Amino acid sequence: MSRHRLDHLDELEAEAIYILREVAGQFEKPALLFSGGKDSITLVHLALKAFRPGKFPFPLVHIDTGHNFDETITYRDEMIARIGEKLIIGHVQDSINKGKVIEQKGKNASRNALQTVTLLDTIAKHGFDACIGGARRDEEKARAKERIFSVRDEFGQWDPKRQRPELWNIYNGKIHKGENVRVFPISNWTELDVWNYIRRENIPLPTIYFAHQRDCITRNGQLMAASPFLNMDEDDVITRRNVRFRTVGDMTCTAAVESYAFEIDDIIDEIASSKISERGARMDDKVSEAAMEERKKGGYF
């Protein structure tokens, strides 16, 4: 009797769909965190495969800093209109207006770290007990040691010493009142896996992932998109560069890379030859050696 063999991407897809369905089965009020980046877009595509022709058993949640790329917000709104699912938006500006967070000052000020308070408030407001995210282990060392089902305490904090064993793809979603779980269905994927899957599935992406011309400044050795959200001064010289973005976040912390990769095949070739992680273009990860882990312990994605 012949046996059907799954290829590498099929196995990753099957695992992610299984995890999404586990979330739907184990939790009462889950949500899918959507940033407009390629990883969360891939999660939405996987959710469509997992739950269609029915509706998603969870809403999408976007924590909006107010400093996003226009292309990302346009893509988000068009995608929601296309798939017809519920979107909940938490605004960092609301947290600032309520005095819950203080906007950073100075040349390298960013709202990225302020998202944590807005996220935790959104989780509390809607009573979410599980939040699905697109983090992957290959991105950064703190994410490399986090489980697929990552338990957060009643304050949203992550304790690396409280992680649960995950043997034979058995995931334990049992939590106490007030706790919640962050779930990472594509944790075992690499950046190349994501791009190869996007190519295979023909998933549309925001245009900023592809090479284009943009006004940029050089800051701390990184190319930053010139924008009114950056605190620029006379030392910042604007130049027109051919760039693309490997990772998408707040405009104040997401650097571009010089690139002539106009097609997905070009991007895959570019990544395969790169010696720098995609998180190497995130200014928020350069605050300290353990910047990501410190943010996670405070409730970050």
Side-chain angles (χ1 to χ4, degrees):
M1 184 175 69
S2 64
R3 297 180 64 185
H4 177 67
R5 296 181 64 87
L6 299 178
D7 69 14
H8 177 61
L9 291 180
D10 287 333
E11 290 179 353
L12 291 174
E13 179 188 70
E15 178 188 53
I17 289 174
Y18 167 73
I19 293 167
L20 287 169
R21 289 172 175 166
E22 278 291 297
V23 172
Q26 291 196 42
F27 298 97
E28 293 183 5
K29 293 196 71 176
L32 192 156
L33 302 177
F34 183 80
S35 67
K38 68 184 186 307
D39 298 314
S40 60
I41 291 169
T42 297
L43 281 180
V44 171
H45 183 80
L46 290 164
L48 288 168
K49 287 198 167 191
F51 302 113
R52 284 294 189 256
K55 301 284 285 184
F56 289 0
F58 42 69
L60 276 62
V61 174
H62 181 212
I63 304 302
D64 188 351
T65 66
H67 292 174
N68 295 290
F69 290 91
D70 290 339
E71 296 91 336
T72 304
I73 299 302
T74 298
Y75 180 94
R76 179 199 70 187
D77 294 343
E78 291 176 350
M79 184 200 73
I80 291 298
R82 182 175 74 251
I83 66 175
E85 295 294 339
K86 181 179 179 181
L87 173 67
I88 295 171
I89 303 175
H91 296 278
V92 171
Q93 186 62 53
D94 290 343
S95 299
I96 295 171
N97 294 343
K98 294 174 182 176
K100 291 190 172 184
V101 294
I102 299 174
E103 191 144 25
Q104 295 178 0
K105 306 295 181 183
K107 191 166 184 176
N108 295 313
S110 172
R111 287 185 174 183
N112 190 66
L114 308 186
Q115 293 181 91
T116 299
V117 171
T118 311
L119 172 63
L120 295 177
D121 285 348
T122 303
I123 290 172
K125 177 180 178 180
H126 295 277
F128 296 132
D129 53 1
C131 291
I132 304 162
R136 308 186 323 270
R137 288 189 174 121
D138 77 317
E139 290 182 276
E140 200 273 341
K141 57 189 177 184
R143 288 179 167 175
K145 65 184 183 183
E146 190 167 17
R147 299 287 192 263
I148 290 176
F149 272 36
S150 178
V151 178
R152 306 298 176 97
D153 65 19
E154 61 270 27
F155 302 106
Q157 298 171 327
W158 175 58
D159 182 356
K161 296 179 180 179
R162 289 185 62 220
Q163 297 191 98
R164 298 169 176 176
E166 293 179 341
L167 305 176
W168 305 293
N169 294 330
I170 297 174
Y171 304 107
N172 179 7
K174 185 177 177 61
I175 55 175
H176 297 292
K177 185 174 178 61
E179 294 179 332
N180 67 83
V181 177
R182 307 290 168 84
V183 181
F184 306 110
I186 61 171
S187 185
N188 291 327
W189 299 40
T190 67
E191 184 183 11
L192 273 175
D193 290 332
V194 173
W195 278 105
N196 279 308
Y197 186 74
I198 288 169
R199 176 174 62 181
R200 189 185 82 172
E201 300 291 309
N202 196 27
I203 302 172
L205 293 175
T207 56
I208 56 175
Y209 275 110
F210 302 91
H212 59 282
Q213 288 199 334
R214 185 179 290 264
D215 289 337
C216 299
I217 63 170
T218 301
R219 181 170 292 181
N220 301 324
Q222 301 272 13
L223 283 175
M224 303 293 293
S227 84
F229 306 130
L230 288 181
N231 294 331
M232 295 189 290
D233 56 30
E234 63 276 2
D235 293 331
D236 293 313
V237 179
I238 297 177
T239 58
R240 192 78 170 166
R241 308 290 280 269
N242 227 71
V243 299
R244 74 176 193 87
F245 293 87
R246 284 179 70 181
T247 178
V248 173
D250 190 300
M251 289 189 76
T252 59
C253 68
T254 307
V257 294
E258 287 202 88
S259 175
Y260 290 89
F262 297 100
E263 305 291 340
I264 286 185
D265 288 343
D266 300 328
I267 291 173
I268 291 173
D269 290 342
E270 184 180 271
I271 295 170
S273 62
S274 175
K275 299 184 184 301
I276 300 174
S277 161
E278 64 190 294
R279 296 293 302 192
R282 292 295 290 266
M283 303 293 285
D284 48 330
D285 288 351
K286 301 180 184 299
V287 175
S288 72
E289 186 68 20
M292 175 63 79
E293 184 160 337
E294 290 166 358
R295 293 202 305 277
K296 277 183 171 291
K297 288 180 178 179
Y300 190 73
F301 301 107

